[in-house]
C-alpha cells in the first residue's frame, strides 16, 4: 500500500511504471515526471480504467476517496465512468 512519502519519492524512469495501492488504484509515473492517479475496474465484462487526476493536485487521500465513490457506483450496478 502506498503512503505520501513513497508517492513524493517516485522518480521518472526510461519507461512508465506503476506504484500500486489497494483496490486496483495506482500511480502511473511517466518518463517526463508526471504522476497520474488511475483505477482499473471491470464493468459489463470489460476491463476499464478511470483517471482521477495528477499528483500533487490530487493527493493520495483524494485519489482513495474518488476510488471509493467510484466503487460504490460500481457496486450499485452503474458504470462510474
Amino acid at each position: 500500500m502506498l503512503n505520501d512519502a513513497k508517492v513524493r519519492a517516485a522518480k521518472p524512469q526510461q519507461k512508465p511504471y506503476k506504484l500500486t495501492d489497494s483496490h486496483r488504484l495506482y500511480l502511473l509515473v511517466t518518463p517526463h515526471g508526471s504522476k497520474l492517479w488511475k483505477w482499473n475496474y471491470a464493468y459489463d465484462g470489460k476491463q476499464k480504467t478511470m483517471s482521477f487526476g495528477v499528483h500533487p493536485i490530487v493527493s493520495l487521500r483524494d485519489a482513495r476517496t474518488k476510488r471509493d465513490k467510484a466503487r460504490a457506483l460500481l457496486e450499485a450496478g452503474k458504470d462510474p465512468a
Side-chain angles (χ1 to χ4, degrees), residues 16-80:
Y17 67 97
K18 299 175 184 179
L19 296 175
T20 58
D21 195 49
S22 58
H23 302 286
R24 301 172 80 178
L25 176 69
Y26 63 93
L27 183 70
L28 179 66
V29 183
T30 69
H32 299 291
S34 297
K35 298 176 182 180
L36 312 167
W37 291 110
K38 296 192 176 267
W39 177 61
N40 289 331
Y41 67 101
Y43 180 77
D44 199 24
K46 297 177 184 174
Q47 290 296 315
K48 296 187 170 197
T49 302
M50 271 185 80
S51 296
F52 292 142
V54 179
H55 183 272
I57 296 168
V58 177
S59 68
L60 175 58
R61 181 182 302 187
D62 294 339
R64 287 177 176 163
T65 300
K66 289 180 180 194
R67 177 210 52 209
D68 293 342
K69 288 179 182 177
R71 284 183 68 208
L73 286 173
L74 191 60
E75 289 172 5
K78 299 177 183 172
D79 186 352

Side-chain angles (χ1 to χ4, degrees), residues 1-11 19 27 35:
M1 206 147 111
L2 289 176
N3 60 39
D4 287 327
K6 288 180 185 176
V7 171
R8 283 192 312 270
K11 302 294 181 207
L19 296 175
L27 183 70
K35 298 176 182 180

